[in-house]
Structure formats: structure tokens, C-alpha cells
Amino acid sequence: MVVVSSPAKIILFGEHAVVYGTPAIAMAIERRIFVKAETLSEKKLVVLTGRKKVSFPLHILTPEGEFRYVKKAVAISLENTGYSSGIKLEINSEIPRASGLGSSAAVSVAVLKAVHELYDVELSPEELAKLGHRVEREVQGAASPTDTATSALGGVLLIKPGAGIERIELNRDIPLVVGCTGIKRSTGKVVAGVRELRDRHPEIIDGVMECIGRLVLKAKCALESGDLKTLGELMDINQGLLEALGVSNLALARRIYSARKAGALGAKLTGAGAGGCMIALAPEHQEKVKKVLGKNSFITTTARAGTKVESLE
Ligand code: PMV
């Protein structure tokens, strides 16, 4: 029996512009998904969550329907380890779903790691990130490596399109309050909306993207030196530029302004926007900020550890 956990992620800076080639910064946060794995004598995959228990034949783990990420992660693990015994997975999650916090990436890498551990097969964090990206690609057709890499590796990462991923060494943990609007949205649709805006006004939108790119490099320096005041200021500027891209909305903007008023050093939407979640940088007044963000908000910080084994028997 093995228990593995993987963290959620947020995008600190650079979402949307990263689609056009500028870097972005992602961070793992202390909200985790826990996967307990055991072998079974029967050749099937049993998945248990707080809500239900579902069983799938091991030889037909099609990446469709409910638990498609779990099924794909198990199929790839069996292929990679060469084992084929039955598996029981018990999943408990602290990560809200479809909110841009990377819950599908977290479950994918947690299942991959748990099954490899179960069979005592080594998997480095880098290999795990690669396999996790493969799970998301094969389930969704296309996927950015950001979520799976952040959940596998933990900490803060600089995503450089076409040039890989680099770890940012933090001077201190980043204290955040996350507020979720509860509005579910499709990242693909929001990204398509930005593309249409750019098609209509390339001479303006390209400038906004470039500006976000420059902001990300400044934010990297502020993270390395632990300068929270500058980070907060850059978050506010980034939010203004995301507003210009048309991806904020009233539910996000209300929370962002309330958080700033309650004492946050800066606040912005995180991820695709148009719903989902926002983040507020709050080294002080955390409870007050959390209160104004209402239900579905939580205080969190950097998860230095990515995917990790919690217990092994
Ligand atoms: O919705 P999320 O949190 O997965 O973030 C999407 C980030 C975008 O930059 C908008 C898209 C992307 O693929 O990077």
C-alpha cells in the first residue's frame, strides 16, 4: 500500500501571453490531492472517491468519461512498469475542480507516482512531469506542460515556451489567499477569444503581450530577492494588462478590488480568467482578505514539495 500526494498550481504571472511565446511563472500551492494505491488479485481497476466506487476492466482503460485522467495514468503506468496486476485507488482531493488550479494534472501525476511506487519502479520528478504531460495530451488532444510540471516538481517554475522549464529559487515562501468565483469556464474558449481580439487589433494586443513578458522577468527577480512589495505591484499591473485582453469579469474584479482594500499587497486573476480563481498576495491581514473573498476562498502558500510519497507499507 502506498499513499502519494500532489499539489495544485496557480499561475503567478504571464498567463495568455505565454501562448504567444513570452515566459510565465507558475507556483505549486499547499492544496493537495491524495491517492492511496493497493494491488488487487482481480484484473481490474477500482477507483474510490468520497462520492462513489467505480470499477473498470484493466485491459480497456479508454481515456474517456469519468476518471479519464486516472484511467490513462494507470494505463501508462502499466505500460511503463511492465506489471499488470489489479489496482485499487482511493482518491481524496482538497483541490476544487475546473477552476484552473490544475486538479486534472495533480490527479494524473499522483496516480502515475502511486502506481510506480506500488511496483517499486523508480520515477524521477522530471520523468514524472513528462509522463504527466503525456497523460494530459492523450486525454485532451493538446495540453501545455505547465500544470503537470508544477504538480510533479513543486516550488515556483519559469515556463519558457519552446525552451523548457526552469526552477526559480525563492528567497521566501509566497503567502497567498485564493478566491474562487465558482464560475466554470473552458480555457480553450477564453484563449480563442483573446486570439480574435488580437486578430482585430494586432498592433495593440502584441504590445500588451510584450509588456506582460517584460513584467514576468521583473517578477522573477522580485521572487528571487523576496521583494513582496514589488511582487504585489507587478500583480496589479499584470491584472490591468489581463483586463486589456478582456479575460477578467465582474466576479473576478470585485474580489480583486476587495482583496486590495482589505490589505493585500496585490491581486490578480490566475489562469485563463472569465471565472475560475483569483489570487491575492497577503503576507498580513490574511484572515481579513479571506473574509472579503467569501466562501470558496482559502489561505495558502508555496508548496516546496511537488509529488511526494506520504506513506509506504
Ligand atoms: O486555465 P488554466 O489555469 O489552466 O490556465 C490557462 C493559462 C493560459 O495561459 C491562458 C493558457 C495556456 O495554455 O497557457
Side-chain angles (χ1 to χ4, degrees):
M1 192 270 289
V2 59
V3 180
V4 164
S5 78
S6 296
K9 75 95 194 19
I10 50 118
I11 296 185
L12 271 179
F13 295 98
E15 51 274 89
H16 287 292
V18 69
V19 175
Y20 298 87
T22 61
I25 299 175
M27 179 172 95
I29 55 167
E30 278 306 344
R31 277 264 146 161
R32 306 185 81 91
I33 193 157
F34 295 83
V35 173
K36 179 174 162 189
E38 287 170 87
T39 48
L40 284 179
S41 48
E42 289 163 88
K43 292 239 175 240
K44 58 183 185 181
L45 166 67
V46 175
V47 185
L48 272 150
T49 65
R51 294 172 294 129
K52 56 170 71 169
K53 179 178 176 178
V54 196
S55 167
F56 307 96
L58 258 201
H59 59 283
I60 10 180
L61 293 174
T62 45
E64 283 157 14
E66 208 183 8
F67 299 118
R68 52 197 183 278
Y69 293 94
V70 173
K71 287 194 277 178
K72 190 77 223 180
V74 169
I76 290 179
S77 301
L78 295 179
E79 179 194 309
N80 214 38
T81 60
Y83 285 89
S84 62
S85 72
I87 296 168
K88 182 173 143 197
L89 298 174
E90 208 177 308
I91 302 174
N92 285 297
S93 180
E94 303 170 344
I95 310 174
R97 290 168 64 186
S99 304
L101 298 178
S103 65
S104 54
V107 79
S108 302
V109 293
V111 169
L112 284 164
K113 181 69 182 169
V115 177
H116 279 73
E117 279 295 321
L118 201 59
Y119 297 133
D120 207 13
V121 175
E122 270 292 312
L123 197 58
S124 72
E126 290 71 26
E127 287 167 332
L128 178 61
K130 263 196 200 131
L131 286 184
H133 185 212
R134 189 177 148 204
V135 172
E136 286 218 312
R137 259 194 343 258
E138 291 184 16
V139 173
Q140 300 165 191
S144 123
T146 306
D147 291 17
T148 36
T150 313
S151 202
L153 304 172
V156 183
L157 304 176
L158 183 71
I159 316 295
K160 300 181 289 184
I165 287 170
E166 185 186 306
R167 187 178 284 286
I168 297 179
E169 292 305 335
L170 280 190
N171 179 285
R172 50 172 298 178
D173 285 341
I174 306 303
L176 292 179
V177 185
V178 179
C180 298
T181 62
I183 303 169
K184 306 217 187 311
R185 78 285 181 271
S186 130
T187 297
K189 276 195 192 141
V190 189
V191 169
V194 173
R195 186 163 299 279
E196 283 161 24
L197 187 72
R198 179 176 177 259
D199 288 345
R200 289 196 293 281
H201 312 285
E203 68 283 39
I204 298 166
I205 300 302
D206 283 347
V208 175
M209 302 301 187
E210 262 176 53
C211 210
I212 295 177
R214 281 199 290 274
L215 184 147
V216 166
L217 298 180
K218 261 200 129 159
K220 177 178 181 279
C221 296
L223 284 164
E224 286 165 342
S225 63
D227 181 354
L228 294 188
K229 192 166 173 288
T230 301
L231 268 186
E233 208 163 74
L234 292 172
M235 279 168 81
D236 288 345
I237 300 173
N238 199 163
Q239 172 61 22
L241 296 167
L242 287 161
E243 286 276 0
L245 297 181
V247 298
S248 193
N249 66 9
L250 188 58
L252 286 164
R254 273 209 182 109
R255 284 171 174 79
I256 288 163
Y257 277 93
S258 308
R260 290 175 187 159
K261 199 168 161 219
L265 293 183
K268 63 181 277 293
L269 67 85
T270 181
C277 300
M278 49 73 65
I279 50 174
L281 182 65
E284 289 165 25
H285 314 294
Q286 289 204 320
E287 285 299 336
K288 196 168 163 205
V289 172
K290 181 179 178 304
K291 192 164 172 229
V292 297
L293 293 180
K295 65 175 171 68
N296 302 327
S297 64
F298 57 91
I299 295 169
T300 191
T301 188
T302 317
R304 296 263 181 168
T307 297
K308 63 176 179 192
V309 177
E310 299 277 353
S311 66
L312 184 65
E313 275 170 25

